[in-house]
Each structure stands twice: as structure tokens, then as C-alpha cells.
Amino acid sequence: LQISEPNEFDIMLVIPVARLQLDESDDTGAYYYLTFKRNPKEKYLLKYLDEDGKLSAFKMLQALRAIIKQEVKNIKNVEVTVKRKRAGSPAITLQIKNPPAEISVDIILTLEVQQSWPPSTRDGLKIEQWLGRKVRGDFRNKSLYLVAKQNKKEKVLRGNTWRLSFSHIEKAMLNNHGSSKTCCESDGPKCCRKGCLKLLKYLLEQLKMKYTKELEKICSYHVKTAFFHSCVMWPKDTDWHLGDLDYCFQKYLGYFLDCLQKSHLPHFFIPQYNLLSLEDKASSDFLSREINYQLNNRFPIFQG
């Protein structure tokens, strides 16, 4: 869903793990400490345990970074560099210089665990009215993904927390986004859901370029989460007629503005986790003002 230039790519490097014990590291329900249950099959991962026996995201990222740096030296025909580590970022970023454009690739260390989702997800993914109860059940039977992501709320930043990731489910919802199975298929009726998401992503992208500092706390995941909530609030394909793009966009934008004003945007899969916490209120208010300005002036930012 990259809009302007497709120059940023995410690659999940998935490591399958049979079973893990998940212990919440705070009250969000999104961040966990991981420990192995008895005699894990994955003996090679034991060297990444910290002194408390927790699987250290920091140690694993460090090792992966070293491997990638080594491998990059062997690439001859393209200039590839590993970007400097960004504090708290779960990604290892490769900068690939190649005319006509430079691209960056984020490699995200991900564990795939074949076990049921933790209790914090129980009341999330409210898609029954939109995609149906069966689809929800199918999604919840899929593996659990955990990405190496530092939890800023940790008292001592040891870098051994992991965050739940639902990107595989989000991708599936975007690909099959209609309440009818044929929505947006080659011979089926077309809707404007993806069009709305792209517009708001583009709007945020442009504003972030212009006001990088003020909007550093806001990211495209906020826009995507608000989009999924909107799909649930307006579940029918007729709510998103292709011809009603501007009306639908304003409806979705209205909901997003409401979230910004209240500083409340629940994570789509973990409802207790608020993505717009009060400490980021300045960013939310700033974005709210900017979007209202765009809205009242017929979106000058789209005129380019």
C-alpha cells in the first residue's frame, strides 16, 4: 500500500518455534517476555537466553545484524549498506543504491509460534458482521507472530521484550475485504475501501514529510487500524460504493479525527491497548488541526 514511490519494503524473517511461554511485560497486552517450555526442539536458540532464561530479542537482533553485515559484503553488483541501528526499532534496514531509485528494505525478526493467541486478544478482531464468524475463527487458528520490539515502558530497557504482530492477518483482511466474496474480483462489484485507505495514508505521508518532528509519534499503522475499525462500523459492501469515494473517505476521516481528539484508538486485535496514549497528545492534536485545515480547504496537499 505504499503510495508515492514504492521505495520502502518490509520483509519478515520468520523463525518457527514450537512452543513458548508468554508472560505479559505490561498492561497493554501487546508486549511479552518469552521463555521456553521444557526441552525445546530449538536448541540453537538457547544461546540467546538472558540471565533470567528469557529469550532476548536484543541478542537475537544483534546476531542477525552481524550475519547480514557479513553477507552484504559478498554482494558485488549492487551497492548495499546496512543502516545504523535506530533505537527501539525492530528492523534491520538495508539501503540499496541502484539507479533509477534508492530503496530501503526493513528486515524484521519474527517468531512464528503454533499455539493459541493470548487472552488479551480474546475480544479483538470484531469482524463477525463484516467478514463473518467463520473467517474470524479461521484467522484465530493461524499461528502467532512475535516481533523483536523493545517495550519503551519497561523500567529497565533490557531489550528482551517481543510484541505481537498480526501483519499476516491484516494482509489477508485487505486482500479479501468484502462482506461478499466477489468484492473487487475481476468480474465482481468494486468498492472504494482500499482507495480510502490509500488516500489517508498518502495524506499522513505528505504531512509527516512536512512536519516530521511534530508528527513523529503518529505512523501509518494508526491509519490502518482506524481503517479496520471503519470496515467494522460500515460492514456492507454497499457502504463503500466505488462512486462514493469522497463521501466514504470523509466518513473514515471523521472517525480517525474523532480518535485523535479523544486520544483513543484501540488496537484492532488487542482492544485494551490504546495506540494513541495521552503522552502523545501533542502529536494527535497537531495532526487533528492539520487534517481539519486540509478538510476545510479542499485538501490542498492533494493538489501537489
Side-chain angles (χ1 to χ4, degrees):
L1 280 164
Q2 187 70 17
I3 318 299
S4 326
E5 267 123 39
N7 57 359
E8 290 175 9
F9 299 90
D10 286 350
I11 294 175
M12 285 182 121
L13 186 69
V14 180
I15 298 176
V17 181
R19 291 189 67 200
L20 285 167
Q21 183 180 318
L22 274 63
D23 294 300
E24 296 195 5
S25 77
D26 65 4
D27 56 1
T28 61
Y31 289 90
Y32 290 83
Y33 297 120
L34 305 181
T35 44
F36 282 110
K37 305 222 168 165
R38 292 175 309 284
N39 301 327
K41 293 191 188 77
E42 299 79 18
K43 296 274 184 274
Y44 69 95
L45 289 178
L46 295 177
K47 60 173 174 288
Y48 302 116
L49 298 180
D50 67 9
E51 59 278 13
D52 302 333
K54 296 190 182 91
L55 188 55
S56 166
F58 174 75
K59 282 185 175 180
M60 284 186 75
L61 275 175
Q62 217 175 10
L64 179 59
R65 206 179 171 81
I67 294 168
I68 290 173
K69 278 190 149 162
Q70 202 44 52
E71 285 304 316
V72 158
K73 290 178 185 160
N74 302 331
I75 299 174
K76 295 287 178 274
N77 47 356
V78 192
E79 193 186 327
V80 182
T81 49
V82 180
K83 275 179 77 170
R84 273 195 48 225
K85 192 170 174 296
R86 289 199 309 275
S89 165
I92 296 168
T93 307
L94 301 180
Q95 213 53 41
I96 302 173
K97 280 198 172 61
N98 201 1
E102 193 169 306
I103 61 171
S104 74
V105 178
D106 278 357
I107 297 172
I108 297 151
L109 177 61
T110 311
L111 303 178
E112 179 182 7
V113 197
Q114 300 283 341
Q115 66 193 48
S116 54
W117 294 10
S120 63
T121 64
R122 199 178 45 231
D123 299 325
L125 191 60
K126 283 262 171 268
I127 58 173
E128 291 89 342
Q129 301 297 308
W130 167 35
L131 299 174
R133 185 167 290 129
K134 183 184 175 302
V135 173
R136 183 179 191 267
D138 292 346
F139 283 157
R140 286 188 59 92
N141 282 328
K142 292 198 185 304
S143 318
L144 197 57
Y145 278 23
L146 291 141
V147 296
K149 176 78 174 120
Q150 197 171 334
N151 181 1
K152 293 188 200 70
K153 285 190 182 167
E154 255 190 317
K155 309 273 183 299
V156 189
L157 287 178
R158 309 245 291 291
N160 62 356
T161 53
W162 297 77
R163 191 185 63 200
L164 293 179
S165 164
F166 299 93
S167 55
H168 53 320
I169 312 290
E170 290 162 5
K171 195 171 174 179
M173 291 193 299
L174 282 170
N175 287 339
N176 295 302
H177 53 257
S179 52
S180 82
K181 293 285 167 270
T182 54
C183 185
C184 288
E185 283 185 1
S186 54
D187 47 359
K190 306 277 183 282
C191 80
C192 66
R193 287 181 181 92
K194 277 188 175 173
C196 289
L197 176 57
K198 283 182 174 178
L199 278 175
L200 191 44
K201 277 192 72 160
Y202 180 72
L203 177 61
L204 180 63
E205 224 173 79
Q206 296 299 309
L207 289 172
K208 273 179 75 85
M209 269 160 42
K210 200 169 166 186
Y211 305 108
T212 311
K213 193 87 194 84
E214 294 87 341
L215 295 177
E216 67 181 352
K217 293 283 198 291
I218 309 280
C219 63
S220 66
Y221 194 70
H222 291 115
V223 164
K224 195 178 181 183
T225 299
F227 170 73
F228 288 133
H229 285 302
S230 298
C231 288
V232 166
M233 280 188 293
W234 298 291
K236 296 197 294 287
D237 297 341
T238 49
D239 296 327
W240 301 88
H241 266 308
L242 190 60
D244 298 336
L245 176 68
D246 60 350
Y247 169 72
C248 294
F249 177 62
Q250 297 218 18
K251 227 170 29 167
Y252 162 41
L253 191 60
Y255 168 71
F256 185 54
L257 279 168
D258 196 43
C259 294
L260 290 172
Q261 256 131 18
K262 293 177 178 151
S263 275
H264 187 68
L265 173 61
H267 191 288
F268 193 66
F269 298 82
I270 309 166
Q272 70 195 56
Y273 180 20
N274 178 18
L275 296 175
L276 291 173
S277 58
L278 281 169
E279 56 254 38
D280 304 335
K281 182 123 183 70
S283 270
S284 300
D285 289 346
F286 186 91
L287 181 57
S288 185
R289 283 196 300 275
E290 281 306 314
I291 289 178
N292 273 309
Y293 172 80
Q294 292 293 325
L295 195 57
N296 298 328
N297 292 279
R298 294 192 176 168
F299 298 99
I301 211 147
F302 289 154
Q303 319 305 323

